[in-house]
Amino acid sequence: MLDRYVIPIIKKPLEQGARCCIQRGISANQVTIASFAIGLLAIPALWQHYYLLALVFIVFNRIGDGLDGAIARQTQTTDAGGFLDICLDFLFYALIPLGFLLAEPEQNGLYAALLIVSFVGTGSSFLAFASVAAKHKIDNPIYQHKSLYYMAGITEGTETIGFFIAFCLWPNAFPTLATVFAILCFMTTANRIWAGYHTISKSEFNDVKQTLNKWSPDEDL
């Protein structure tokens, strides 16, 4: 929901960082993998209750996630790179609630599980629509720089990093914050399913209509 407002603000710093990386021969895929590895360090930090240290790893991971895309746009955007990026992103998102579960199993277990399930909803609706949208050549007017069709929702990257920061700053409030975030994710999933279904149905109808308009009875004579 907030990505469309935040992206223009961070675009210039990311582009400057991307130019520095390119000058040093650092590729987008290298940044993707390195930032994911850094993000993984947040899990043991959370497990051991080093929440502020975990926050540092999370922030560096998210900076890297923006930087790899900026590098790709200044060099060469590839579907393989986009695939790698989105897979590692979704895996990272699911691992953070796991870290809080490991930190306080009795307090956080149920809420971490709820949050991970909600991530499955947002991720599956995102990827399912992206695959069908590509098949029907549905344009993405909002996030044209994305390798996959980026279907907007209430919870996007900005909201996710915001809640992750809140989790680390107020770990005792994780159950409440996770519940709120999960509800927002479920709302996003429902909206994407509804909007995605109607968008695809409309595209299929238009495809059939165009086919019928091109067909002429004289062609069979």
Side-chain angles (χ1 to χ4, degrees):
M1 184 170 62
L2 298 178
D3 280 8
R4 68 184 67 189
Y5 305 109
V6 173
I7 288 175
I9 297 174
I10 64 175
K11 182 178 180 181
K12 188 173 181 179
L14 289 176
E15 289 178 346
Q16 293 174 343
R19 283 192 290 269
C20 292
C21 290
I22 294 170
Q23 290 172 358
R24 290 165 174 76
I26 301 174
S27 70
N29 288 345
Q30 288 173 332
V31 173
T32 298
I33 295 171
S35 60
F36 177 70
I38 292 172
L40 288 179
L41 296 176
I43 311 307
L46 291 171
W47 194 349
Q48 298 303 315
H49 299 176
Y50 295 122
Y51 296 110
L52 294 182
L53 180 59
L55 177 56
V56 172
F57 293 138
I58 291 171
V59 170
F60 272 106
N61 172 273
R62 293 297 83 201
I63 292 174
D65 181 58
L67 188 60
D68 61 3
I71 294 173
R73 290 189 293 276
Q74 292 184 30
T75 52
Q76 182 179 6
T77 301
T78 65
D79 290 338
F83 170 79
L84 178 65
D85 179 57
I86 199 69
C87 286
L88 296 185
D89 273 354
F90 282 133
L91 182 57
F92 169 76
Y93 289 152
L95 287 172
I96 297 304
L98 175 62
F100 281 92
L101 183 152
L102 294 172
E104 299 287 349
E106 294 185 3
Q107 173 184 289
N108 297 339
L110 174 62
Y111 304 98
L114 178 67
L115 191 54
I116 291 173
V117 171
S118 73
F119 285 173
V120 172
T122 56
S124 60
S125 58
F126 171 96
L127 294 174
F129 181 81
S131 64
V132 180
K135 178 180 178 181
H136 288 271
K137 298 180 180 180
I138 299 174
D139 293 330
N140 183 2
I142 299 176
Y143 302 108
Q144 296 180 356
H145 61 285
K146 296 291 184 179
S147 297
L148 297 174
Y149 190 108
Y150 198 91
M151 196 176 186
I154 297 173
T155 53
E156 298 176 346
T158 302
E159 290 79 14
T160 301
I161 185 60
F163 271 95
F164 282 2
I165 291 172
F167 293 161
C168 293
L169 292 179
W170 300 286
N172 290 333
F174 178 82
T176 300
L177 293 171
T179 300
V180 172
F181 191 30
I183 291 172
L184 294 176
C185 287
F186 284 127
M187 292 172 62
T188 293
T189 300
N191 177 68
R192 284 178 175 171
I193 292 174
W194 182 88
Y197 176 82
H198 287 282
T199 300
I200 294 168
S201 295
K202 182 178 179 180
S203 178
E204 288 179 328
F205 175 80
N206 290 335
D207 290 344
V208 172
K209 186 177 180 180
Q210 290 178 2
T211 301
L212 293 175
N213 289 337
K214 291 179 181 180
W215 178 80
S216 172
D218 295 336
E219 295 178 0
D220 293 339
L221 297 178

